[in-house]
Amino acid sequence: MQNHQRLLIIDFGSQVTQLIARRFRELSVYCEIHPFQNVTEEFLKKFKAKAIILSGGPASVIEKKSPKPPKLVFELDIPVLGICYGQQVMMAMLGGNVDKGIGTAEFGRAYVQKTDNEILLLEGWFETEQEKVWMSHGDHVSKIAPGFEVFGTSDNAPFAIIANEERKLFAVQFHPEVHHTPNGTKLLENFCKIAGFSRDWTITGYREHAIAKIRDEVGDKQVICGLSGGVDSSVTAVLIHEAIGEQLTCVFVDHGLLRKNEAQEVVKMFRDNYNMSLIHAEEQELFLNKLDGQDDPETKRKIIGRLFIEVFQKYAKDIKDAEFLAQGTLYPDVIESISFDGGPSDTIKSHHNVGGLPEKMGLKLIEPLRELFKDEVRLLGTDLGLPKSFLGRHPFPGPGLAIRCPGKITKEKLNILREADAVFIDQIKKHALYDEIWQAFVTILPVRTVGVMGDARTYDYACALRAVTSVDGMTADYYPFEHNFLAETATRIINEVTGINRVTYDITSKPPGTIEWE
Ligand code: XMP
């Protein structure tokens, strides 16, 4: 996106920095988040931002080693908006003062009162004399820098909105990017007006730029792409295929832990519709043999992760002139991998991905979705002609059914699980609930229970249905099915799936549960 007007968001570690990017993308303005550590004077000169946002963050400018942007930010003669910590750091660097917020901290809802001063940033913003905003700050600005004026005040933040219009420097103590500041987008929209953004960033434009960039980068070399059939890797593959056609080879690793008909559907769709060079790596036996007898969740995950890389390497090494590895990394993945304080977080589950592969294989990474959010990837997929049914599919974990089969994995259990899962999903689709649910699946339990069918005793497996709503998989709520739906589904599973005689519904939220059972 080199030649597009760009907004630079300098991240000081706020929990909601991503939302700033979201809001600007919604306004059709292209923006990128970069952690403050990376933003040097040189970076700024190269980036050529049309405007800059300084995000919020957990640090205190009163501390000696608090993070700061280069001074050049304020000397580029472009609009700069400081939010929360961004406001405080702007004041501290330009000659104002920031104090510890003893008794003046504000967390949550607050009201900003209008002053007599008018400013374009607030055009159409105050619907009444005061506007509801969301605050989250301990420190506060106690003296504004020379040249600044006050345009809004709140009980605990006398300098809630300040600006030096001549220098195009603006700063707010609250967070305009969150939904709890209902009119926040208006303020950001006005900021775009001030900066003169043409607001023409579209997904079709993105597609064209991305294709040109891929062609330029790859030249006449070959690209390998690990295709899982999920939305991200599928869109990546189709986009790259459109750019370089036969220079792309996809590798689809079938580890024997896929859902009913999944492998056939994915392979058919890519071979038939896209005429793509696709290796279907049928390695079911390898994976299942290595998993035989294993019942510890982490051990299973590690075995699968390791084998996946081995298998991928085995097939990829025969592709001549392969110089690039394509991955469907999304923007949130990029941001989450930047830890503000570098503190280790607890490993709940070792997630399966192909990280580490490019270095091991001496390949260069190509990640054409790195700048997109999930819903933008779906839009791009639609633009590229991928069927809606494919783009709207529920997420499926890399280790597949292995983590939906607690305890030891056997072929028999996997087959039962596949059938039960297919019935559950069919029910959900029939009742038009699929799109309302983030993820739905069956887990086969490592217990057998006694039942009675047709006057005869049965001794078969129990299974648990799981369906959750979620925005990003980080937190989740169980889906509140009607009792009739659950009863009908249980009856169908027991009647149609040999090997299951008891069905339960998992009503645990995340936290304290996780979405998958292992
Ligand atoms: P948990 O079970 O951690 O799952 O609440 C959150 C989301 O992540 C998916 N998941 C995975 N996805 N590799 C993946 O690509 C994995 O190893 C993995 N483990 C869990 C899970 O299906 C849910 O959407």
Side-chain angles (χ1 to χ4, degrees):
M1 305 301 297
Q2 286 304 318
N3 45 9
H4 209 91
Q5 301 177 332
R6 302 200 284 181
L7 172 85
L8 170 64
I9 300 168
I10 304 182
D11 184 19
F12 293 100
S14 157
Q15 302 281 329
V16 288
T17 302
Q18 278 203 41
L19 287 180
I20 306 177
R22 279 249 49 131
R23 297 284 100 81
F24 281 106
R25 296 275 181 98
E26 281 160 15
L27 293 165
S28 305
V29 168
Y30 181 73
C31 58
E32 285 182 25
I33 301 176
H34 289 270
F36 72 91
Q37 297 96 322
N38 297 355
V39 181
T40 57
E41 289 204 355
E42 219 184 351
F43 175 98
L44 285 171
K45 284 179 196 156
K46 251 176 126 176
F47 192 92
K48 294 200 175 65
K50 200 163 171 61
I52 294 178
I53 302 282
L54 306 175
S55 88
S60 165
V61 290
I62 300 162
E63 313 280 317
K64 261 203 182 126
K65 283 196 167 162
S66 59
K68 291 191 179 56
K71 262 204 159 128
L72 183 62
V73 163
F74 306 112
E75 290 155 11
L76 290 167
D77 197 28
I78 57 172
V80 180
L81 172 65
I83 296 176
C84 196
Y85 179 83
Q87 179 194 51
Q88 295 164 7
V89 81
M90 187 189 284
M91 287 304 98
M93 290 175 72
L94 297 178
N97 252 333
V98 175
D99 278 349
K100 268 262 163 277
I102 302 161
T104 56
E106 273 178 304
F107 295 98
R109 188 188 312 146
Y111 290 90
V112 172
Q113 317 285 331
K114 212 171 161 173
T115 67
D116 292 334
N117 297 329
E118 299 279 329
I119 191 170
L120 181 53
L121 185 75
L122 299 178
E123 199 178 66
W125 195 63
F126 280 108
E127 280 176 3
T128 60
E129 286 301 298
Q130 59 174 22
E131 201 41 62
K132 191 156 92 178
V133 298
W134 190 73
M135 296 269 192
S136 177
H137 65 107
D139 298 349
H140 68 281
V141 174
S142 54
K143 180 181 137 224
I144 51 177
F148 278 76
E149 281 181 274
V150 184
F151 297 88
T153 64
S154 78
D155 284 351
N156 285 341
F159 304 116
I161 307 173
I162 53 176
N164 180 335
E165 267 195 288
E166 207 187 307
R167 290 183 66 186
K168 291 180 266 186
L169 303 179
F170 308 88
V172 293
Q173 180 59 76
F174 56 91
H175 287 268
E177 69 276 28
V178 304
H179 280 296
H180 297 85
T181 300
N183 223 355
T185 306
K186 183 77 206 154
L187 194 147
L188 301 180
E189 192 177 355
N190 287 340
F191 181 72
C192 294
K193 245 189 228 168
I194 295 168
F197 279 107
S198 46
R199 293 186 48 192
D200 54 1
W201 188 82
T202 60
I203 207 71
T204 308
Y206 183 88
R207 170 180 168 182
E208 284 159 14
H209 277 285
I211 286 174
K213 202 169 146 203
I214 294 165
R215 286 189 184 139
D216 190 45
E217 215 174 322
V218 173
D220 57 1
K221 298 292 183 228
Q222 297 285 323
V223 180
I224 309 170
C225 176
L227 185 68
S228 70
V231 174
D232 307 340
S233 70
S234 300
V235 173
T236 303
V238 174
L239 181 69
I240 297 182
H241 186 250
E242 184 160 310
I244 56 166
E246 287 171 5
Q247 287 161 261
L248 170 73
T249 306
C250 291
V251 181
F252 174 68
V253 178
D254 186 343
H255 48 23
L257 301 159
L258 298 170
R259 288 165 292 190
K260 190 174 175 183
N261 298 333
E262 185 158 26
Q264 295 87 319
E265 279 167 18
V266 171
V267 171
K268 187 170 163 32
M269 145 116 173
F270 283 93
R271 286 209 179 125
D272 291 1
N273 295 342
Y274 293 96
N275 194 19
M276 221 179 253
S277 157
L278 173 63
I279 298 172
H280 181 182
E282 299 224 44
E283 296 288 351
Q284 297 92 323
E285 291 305 317
L286 172 72
F287 280 84
L288 297 182
N289 284 342
K290 287 271 173 4
L291 287 168
D292 191 33
Q294 303 291 346
D295 62 359
D296 174 62
E298 276 299 288
T299 311
K300 287 185 194 173
R301 279 176 173 274
K302 296 227 162 92
I303 291 174
I304 295 168
R306 183 171 47 76
L307 285 180
F308 195 92
I309 292 181
E310 268 176 42
V311 167
F312 196 85
Q313 279 179 303
K314 178 174 113 183
Y315 288 86
K317 83 173 173 349
D318 294 333
I319 300 166
K320 262 183 66 201
D321 286 337
E323 209 163 276
F324 296 89
L325 177 79
Q327 272 183 7
T329 315
L330 302 194
Y331 203 41
D333 308 331
V334 179
I335 305 301
E336 272 162 28
S337 63
I338 300 161
S339 158
F340 176 75
D341 54 9
S345 58
D346 201 17
T347 304
I348 311 290
K349 299 176 184 185
S350 340
H351 269 224
H352 155 103
N353 58 40
V354 284
L357 247 187
E359 299 89 70
K360 271 195 183 170
M361 297 177 61
L363 295 172
K364 290 182 214 149
L365 254 190
I366 182 161
E367 298 175 307
L369 310 184
R370 254 181 98 80
E371 289 153 8
L372 301 184
F373 289 95
K374 188 86 177 180
D375 52 342
E376 291 173 328
V377 172
R378 292 209 167 96
L379 273 180
L380 178 60
T382 310
D383 206 65
L384 286 163
L386 273 152
K388 193 169 171 282
S389 56
F390 212 80
L391 294 169
R393 292 200 323 166
H394 291 171
F396 185 65
L401 300 182
I403 58 173
R404 296 178 179 175
C405 187
K408 292 182 185 153
I409 299 170
T410 63
K411 278 190 187 162
E412 183 211 10
K413 280 203 249 176
L414 288 176
N415 285 335
I416 296 172
L417 174 56
R418 276 193 193 99
E419 295 302 323
D421 192 74
V423 174
F424 185 34
I425 298 299
D426 183 54
Q427 276 286 102
I428 287 176
K429 286 190 174 158
K430 272 198 179 132
H431 286 257
L433 299 173
Y434 191 81
D435 293 341
E436 268 178 50
I437 293 171
W438 159 267
Q439 210 171 4
F441 54 88
V442 173
T443 296
I444 183 163
L445 303 183
V447 280
R448 295 169 88 189
T449 76
V450 174
V452 51
M453 280 174 88
D455 291 335
R457 179 185 192 268
T458 59
Y459 186 53
D460 283 332
Y461 287 106
C463 75
L465 312 179
R466 182 89 166 125
V468 295
T469 53
S470 176
V471 178
D472 49 15
M474 305 291 282
T475 57
D477 229 337
Y478 75 90
Y479 187 79
F481 287 120
E482 301 276 335
H483 280 241
N484 284 347
F485 172 90
L486 288 171
E488 191 183 294
T489 307
T491 306
R492 269 195 67 190
I493 290 178
I494 291 168
N495 286 347
E496 294 174 31
V497 182
T498 311
I500 287 190
N501 68 355
R502 193 173 296 264
V503 177
T504 65
Y505 184 44
D506 175 1
I507 56 163
T508 320
S509 295
K510 173 182 180 177
T514 53
I515 296 177
E516 307 286 350
W517 277 48
E518 285 196 336

